[in-house]
Amino acid sequence: MLELPGHPPPPCAEPARAEPNGTRAEPNALESGAEHSRARDGAEKTRERPSAPEPARRIGLAVAAGLAGAGARVVLSSRREPHVAAAVGQLRSRGLEVSGVVCHVGQPHSRTALVQKALETYGGIDILVSNAAVNPVLGSTLDADEAAWEKLFQVNVTAAAMLVRLVVPHMERRGGGAIVLVSSVAGYMPFTLWEDDATRERVMSSMGIDRLGTPSDVAEVVTFLCSPAAAYVVGETVVVAGGAPSRL
């Protein structure tokens, strides 16, 4: 999944898991997470809490812009219609070919509608970028109740897997495709969220980074992974984190 308003946002960037297998000219991209976005034939972004730093909140939009700028026709999505309209309007004003749809990826019928929108709009799916995630609990994992765990897995894990299941048959009929699942570097190194500059500096120092990542840092990597240049990069975890510790 790609970002995560809601997911404990990375102070730098999040790791992207890639399974590119080849793309075609003017590919269709699906992106899940509209405030953030999914790629080539659809995108969706979700936000549950306002605690994420602004750079983390804009990753999906940057990915959608990067893919569309590289020639993909993008369908992006968000759980909230105003977010869809704002993202589509902003990207279209730049001359990019983008459509959008409201989608809650945690709901099966909504995922099906997202994929159907991409197929009806562009006739196929070549790329999926999963960037939707939630984080209903901040603090110790021992304080998270069963409902919180179920929501985390429903949106952050199950939804991404089910989207992959939905789009792969369409990719296979077109001769291949690319799938990128965006997550948080916090999966490797938990860190404290900050509300002031002093705490931010301490967090950056503990992670060994000299600046926070930007949406474009992630978008450029995702765009590469969805391109023919990355056709031989399969099943890898690519970390975009400025050198922060990122190995289990």
Side-chain angles (χ1 to χ4, degrees):
M1 300 177 180
L2 178 74
E3 175 340 2
L4 351 110
H7 216 96
C12 23
E14 5 330 281
R17 297 184 181 172
E19 295 183 21
N21 253 330
T23 57
R24 61 185 66 234
E26 295 186 356
N28 301 317
L30 176 68
E31 180 175 5
S32 153
E35 266 177 87
H36 303 160
S37 45
R38 287 184 184 184
R40 290 217 184 162
D41 262 71
E44 193 235 359
K45 300 180 181 186
T46 61
R47 170 174 316 199
E48 290 288 330
R49 305 170 70 92
S51 55
E54 183 60 24
R57 294 178 183 160
R58 308 309 300 174
I59 290 173
L61 184 61
V63 169
L67 289 168
R73 299 176 297 182
V74 177
V75 175
L76 58 80
S77 69
S78 173
R79 208 157 50 91
R80 296 179 176 87
E81 195 281 332
H83 295 162
V84 175
V88 169
Q90 179 178 335
L91 297 178
R92 285 181 175 174
S93 71
R94 296 162 56 181
L96 301 175
E97 188 167 357
V98 177
S99 297
V101 61
V102 174
C103 174
H104 187 322
V105 292
Q107 300 174 350
H109 71 276
S110 200
R111 294 191 297 265
T112 300
L114 171 61
V115 172
Q116 190 60 36
K117 169 71 172 180
L119 295 172
E120 292 175 354
T121 304
Y122 296 128
I125 297 174
D126 302 295
I127 298 169
L128 168 68
V129 178
S130 175
N131 180 48
V134 296
N135 182 28
V137 177
L138 296 179
S140 171
T141 55
L142 296 177
D143 295 331
D145 60 20
E146 186 170 349
W149 281 104
E150 288 178 349
K151 184 170 185 178
L152 281 166
F153 275 86
Q154 177 194 40
V155 176
N156 299 3
V157 180
T158 302
M162 294 301 97
L163 276 170
V164 170
R165 183 171 179 264
L166 285 172
V167 303
V168 164
H170 300 289
M171 290 180 174
E172 289 178 337
R173 283 195 284 272
R174 292 168 68 85
I179 297 173
V180 176
L181 309 180
V182 182
S183 184
S184 173
V185 72
Y188 290 113
M189 182 183 183
F191 54 83
T192 303
L193 295 179
W194 59 85
E195 296 182 354
D196 57 78
D197 292 342
T199 303
R200 181 191 63 191
E201 293 301 321
R202 286 197 299 272
V203 171
M204 291 173 59
S205 177
S206 70
M207 300 184 77
I209 58 176
D210 58 9
R211 71 168 176 88
L212 299 181
T214 67
S216 64
D217 288 329
V218 180
E220 290 182 10
V221 174
V222 173
T223 300
F224 163 72
L225 291 173
C226 294
S227 74
Y232 205 57
V233 180
V234 180
E236 297 294 339
T237 298
V238 180
V239 180
V240 186
S246 56
R247 296 293 181 270
L248 297 177

